[in-house]
């Protein structure tokens, strides 16, 4: 059923209708469109713009349609232009002319903006639960390896020894920032456009603030033009989803490296790896690779929406039809990737012995020599130079730092007394890194404890919001 046409002598050409049609993807908004219709109906009824008896019939029909949408028995037809026209068609078929009463004081412009905000809020809350599950999986693994030495890397080169649990825990922090972004986004997005009409509000006695409360929004949007044209919340959500994808991609890259023959640190569970169709020995980290690959899609979705938004003037423009598919796709992508990635993390085992042996290689203890000299009063620039000369001598004679003689140490710098050998151990290097956020076992233990508290607090925040939202949606 067309929602316009009185001033036209004919309907749109077939190819124009095909271009305009969005029902194949925006039907996902049907539950939210029905819920916003119920809120709008309540406002119309209170303003005596719909008879009480008609309002009851419409409300009953909407609630029945709500059930049918949820169980899949109500679906659109190929002739429907979009979700709004499809639902009004069904209403009119079931109730007759009063089925079109809900259009009073409402436009598809404020309608779709409301629906999309509700969809985004609902799905970002659901996605947060899956992110938190991944955080717990990583943190559990970090706690398991909170006493395991390993080499730390910069530039993909051995840098300094670290506790492997410390290496893993860094990813919990990055995901925590993603959750913080969702919290901030939620507060900005929880604003209702309903009541803005096409762009100028309404001459009817509507109550946008009441509609906002009814739908669980924190407030109504204060400018009706902004209400129908703003898609910041879509772009911002896509940025957050892109950052989550980038964080997964970084983790995926590390899992690929750690599970390689060259590293040999990680053993993937059979349920979270795949084989080769030609090489029977292969065990491939496909989940990590797919997560890494999906990041490009997430970034692309963000870019497409930013490019679409950059030149839109005044109020609503039809370009905004392009806001939905990228958002739907990004949410669907992460909803698919995150559980598999979480399972891969939770079931991976790491070779403590290999990591421990590797921790001291690549001259990773050279900084300990420099710090040893600094503690005896040598300026760091000189201490750094002396430590570098120690490495140079080892490289030229194919030895490790601890294999230099006392005479060789003192010849490089008189401050390098035999006591320097006391710092040329992995355990000594790790134990000394007690600064806040450092890699000492005690610091890592504190970090893990603090992360447990942070994740629990996030879990409660998102659960409270989800429960509130579900209640408002009548789920």
């Amino acid at each position: 059923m067309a929602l316009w046409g009185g001033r036209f002598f004919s309907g749109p050409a077939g190819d124009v209708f095909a271009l305009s049609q969005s029902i194949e993807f925006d039907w996902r908004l049907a539950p939210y469109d029905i819920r916003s219709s119920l809120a709008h109906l309540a406002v119309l009824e209170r303003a005596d713009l719909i008879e009480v008896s008609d309002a009851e019939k419409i409300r009953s029909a909407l609630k029945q349609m709500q059930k049918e949408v949820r169980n899949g028995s109500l679906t659109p037809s190929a002739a429907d232009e979009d979700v709004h026209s499809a639902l009004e068609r069904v209403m009119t078929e079931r109730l007759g002319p009063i089925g079109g009463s809900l259009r009073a004081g409402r436009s598809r412009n404020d309608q779709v903006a409301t629906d999309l905000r509700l969809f985004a809020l609902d799905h970002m809350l659901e996605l947060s639960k899956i992110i938190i599950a991944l955080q717990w999986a990583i943190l559990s693994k970090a706690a398991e390896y909170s006493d395991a030495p390993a080499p730390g890397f910069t530039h993909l080169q051995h840098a300094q020894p670290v506790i492997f649990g410390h290496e893993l825990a860094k990813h919990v922090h990055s995901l925590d920032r993603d959750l913080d972004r969702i919290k901030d986004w939620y507060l900005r997005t929880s604003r209702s456009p309903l009541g803005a009409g096409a762009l100028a509000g309404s001459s009817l006695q509507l109550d946008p603030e009441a509609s906002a409360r009814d739908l669980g929004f924190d407030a109504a949007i204060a400018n009706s033009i902004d209400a129908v044209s703003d898609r910041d919340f879509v772009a911002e959500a896509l940025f957050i989803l892109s950052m989550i994808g980038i964080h997964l991609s970084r983790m995926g890259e590390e899992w690929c490296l750690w599970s390689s023959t060259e590293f040999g640190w990680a053993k993937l569970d059979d349920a979270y790896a795949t084989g080769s169709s030609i090489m029977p020995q292969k065990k491939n980290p496909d989940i990590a690779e797919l997560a890494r690959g999906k990041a490009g899609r997430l970034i692309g979705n963000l870019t497409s929406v930013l490019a679409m938004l950059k030149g839109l003037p005044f109020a609503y423009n039809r370009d905004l039809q392009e806001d939905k598919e990228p958002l739907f796709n990004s949410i669907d992508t992460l909803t698919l990737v995150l559980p598999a990635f979480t399972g891969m993390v939770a079931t991976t085992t790491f070779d403590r012995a290999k990591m421990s042996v590797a921790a001291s290689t690549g001259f990773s203890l050279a900084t300990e020599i420099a710090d040893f000299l600094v503690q005896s009063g040598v300026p760091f620039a000189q201490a750094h130079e002396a430590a570098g000369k120690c490495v140079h001598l080892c490289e030229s004679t194919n030895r490790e730092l601890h294999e230099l003689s006392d005479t060789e140490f003192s010849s490089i710098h008189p401050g390098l007394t035999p006591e320097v050998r006391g710092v040329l151990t992995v355990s000594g290097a790790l134990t000394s890194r007690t600064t806040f956020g450092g890699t000492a076992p005690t610091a890592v233990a504190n970090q893990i404890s603090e992360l447990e508290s942070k994740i629990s607090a996030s879990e409660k925040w998102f659960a409270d919001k989800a429960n509130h939202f579900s209640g408002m949606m009548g789920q």
Side-chain angles (χ1 to χ4, degrees), residues 141-151 161-168 350-353 355-356 359 426 430 439 441 444:
K141 199 60 62 174
E144 182 180 348
Y145 293 94
S146 61
D147 60 347
V162 296
I163 291 293
F164 190 62
H166 186 54
E167 185 81 71
L168 292 170
F350 293 92
D351 191 323
R352 289 171 172 268
M355 293 191 296
S356 181
V426 169
L430 293 172
T439 198
V444 172

Side-chain angles (χ1 to χ4, degrees), residues 276-468:
S276 165
S277 61
I278 189 172
M279 295 169 285
Q281 84 282 6
K282 294 297 294 296
K283 190 173 187 181
N284 299 324
D286 280 18
I287 294 167
E289 292 174 352
L290 287 167
R292 193 174 57 189
K294 297 289 186 185
R297 177 192 296 264
L298 299 169
I299 295 167
N301 287 337
L302 168 63
T303 303
S304 69
V305 166
L306 291 175
M308 178 268 291
L309 292 174
K310 72 174 183 61
L312 299 187
F314 306 127
Y316 182 85
N317 293 271
R318 192 60 184 274
D319 312 49
L320 292 174
Q321 182 170 303
E322 296 298 311
D323 60 359
K324 298 168 196 63
E325 289 175 285
L327 180 63
F328 296 166
N329 182 262
S330 288
I331 288 172
D332 290 347
T333 296
L334 285 176
T335 301
L336 183 66
V337 169
L338 278 163
F341 201 94
T342 300
M344 180 191 71
V345 169
T347 57
T348 301
T349 57
F350 293 92
D351 191 323
R352 289 171 172 268
K354 281 188 178 180
M355 293 191 296
S356 181
V357 168
S360 63
T361 61
F363 306 110
S364 66
L365 296 171
T367 306
E368 307 310 308
I369 295 175
D371 287 351
F372 175 82
L373 289 173
V374 167
Q375 291 180 22
S376 63
V378 178
F380 185 78
Q382 295 179 22
H384 185 281
E385 180 75 11
K389 288 180 178 179
C390 291
V391 172
H392 179 75
L393 177 57
C394 286
E395 284 187 319
S396 63
T397 57
N398 196 28
R399 288 182 289 171
E400 293 290 333
L401 289 169
H402 69 276
E403 294 177 316
L404 294 179
S405 67
D406 292 347
T407 301
E408 287 170 321
F409 274 125
S410 62
S411 68
I412 290 172
H413 193 286
L416 293 177
T417 61
E419 285 73 22
V420 72
R421 297 186 183 283
V423 302
L424 292 179
T425 64
V426 169
S427 61
L430 293 172
T431 303
S432 68
R433 296 295 191 276
T434 56
T435 50
F436 178 78
T439 198
T442 53
V444 172
N446 289 336
Q447 177 189 178
I448 290 172
S449 177
E450 289 171 6
L451 284 171
E452 287 174 347
S453 298
K454 289 193 77 172
I455 298 173
S456 295
S458 286
E459 208 164 32
K460 183 180 186 307
W461 192 94
F462 284 106
D464 289 345
K465 292 295 182 185
N467 290 335
H468 170 75

Side-chain angles (χ1 to χ4, degrees), residues 263-282:
F263 268 78
W265 293 7
K267 182 179 180 181
L268 302 177
D269 188 90
D270 286 356
Y272 291 94
T274 65
S276 165
S277 61
I278 189 172
M279 295 169 285
Q281 84 282 6
K282 294 297 294 296

